[in-house]
Structure formats: structure tokens, C-alpha cells
Amino acid sequence: MAKKQKDNYLDYIPVHNPQNSWDEKDGKVTIHMVHRGFYSKIAQTFFHTPRVSHIDLDAYGSFVWKQIDGEKNIGQVADALKAQFGKDAEPLYDRLVKYMQILRNNQFILFRGKDRMPK
């Protein structure tokens, strides 16, 4: 039986989730996440939770976010991050992979070819 080949995370191509908008001010990115769905409606109605959350990214996160263009893979984003921040970005790959996982788990990004793209 053939072994299943593990995917290299650095080859994944991140794409901004089109369901969220974002803007940039003074070099810092803010993601605007609209809460959709049945349970969000209930929470908004009964618990007065906000319909839109605004997530402010730090300098590293903002730089990474602006590198995501749907063409570069995570390895290329890592190279740009290292060129911009040098040794301050270390441990580069561990931090970047974990950050990308967090962005994906919170549905801020999707991976081209891995995730279903919303309409």
C-alpha cells in the first residue's frame, strides 16, 4: 500500500475570504467580519452582540495580510516577511504557519485548492 504524501504547508496559496472586508490606516490592517447565520442572529437580537467585529492586526500581521494576493504561496510570504523584518521575524516558519492556521480557523482566509470558495 502506498504511503500518503504529506502536503507541504508552505506550498498552500492563501486567499482573503471575500465575505470579509478590510481596510488599512497608518500601515495597520483592520478586518471587518460580519456575523452571519442563525445563531449569530439570535445572539444579536437577545444579547445585543455586534453584527460586525473589527479585528486590528499588528505590524507583522498587517504585513502578512497585505502579502496575501491569491498568487503567492506561504513560502513566498515567509521570504517577504524575512526580508522586511529580518531576525525579528524568527522563529519565522513556526510563527507564520500558526498565524495562517489561526486566520483560516477564523475564516479570514481560505486556501486555494483546499477550501471551497464562497460565491
Side-chain angles (χ1 to χ4, degrees):
M1 189 157 213
K3 285 186 177 181
K4 186 175 181 181
Q5 184 178 358
K6 281 186 127 180
D7 291 336
N8 185 350
Y9 209 83
L10 297 178
D11 291 334
Y12 289 0
I13 298 173
V15 179
H16 294 143
N17 187 339
Q19 293 184 335
N20 301 320
S21 62
W22 64 281
D23 60 26
E24 179 183 359
K25 183 178 181 183
D26 299 327
K28 301 287 175 89
V29 171
T30 300
I31 304 171
H32 310 289
M33 181 178 175
V34 178
H35 299 283
R36 298 172 174 85
F38 177 72
Y39 294 111
S40 293
K41 279 285 189 207
I42 289 174
Q44 290 165 20
T45 303
F46 294 108
F47 302 111
H48 307 292
T49 60
R51 184 170 187 280
V52 179
S53 293
H54 307 283
I55 296 90
D56 297 320
L57 303 181
D58 65 359
Y60 296 108
S62 294
F63 181 82
V64 169
W65 184 263
K66 291 185 279 185
Q67 292 296 310
I68 297 172
D69 60 3
E71 301 295 325
K72 295 178 189 160
N73 62 31
I74 295 176
Q76 292 168 321
V77 172
D79 293 340
L81 192 63
K82 185 169 183 114
Q84 178 72 22
F85 294 101
K87 291 186 178 190
D88 291 337
E90 297 297 336
L92 177 64
Y93 296 106
D94 293 337
R95 287 173 69 183
L96 182 58
V97 167
K98 185 64 176 172
Y99 183 65
M100 290 292 185
Q101 289 171 341
I102 291 169
L103 289 176
R104 185 181 185 205
N105 289 343
N106 287 297
Q107 299 177 354
F108 296 135
I109 65 168
L110 306 166
F111 290 133
R112 176 170 285 150
K114 296 287 181 192
D115 297 321
R116 205 173 92 181
M117 301 293 176
K119 296 177 183 176

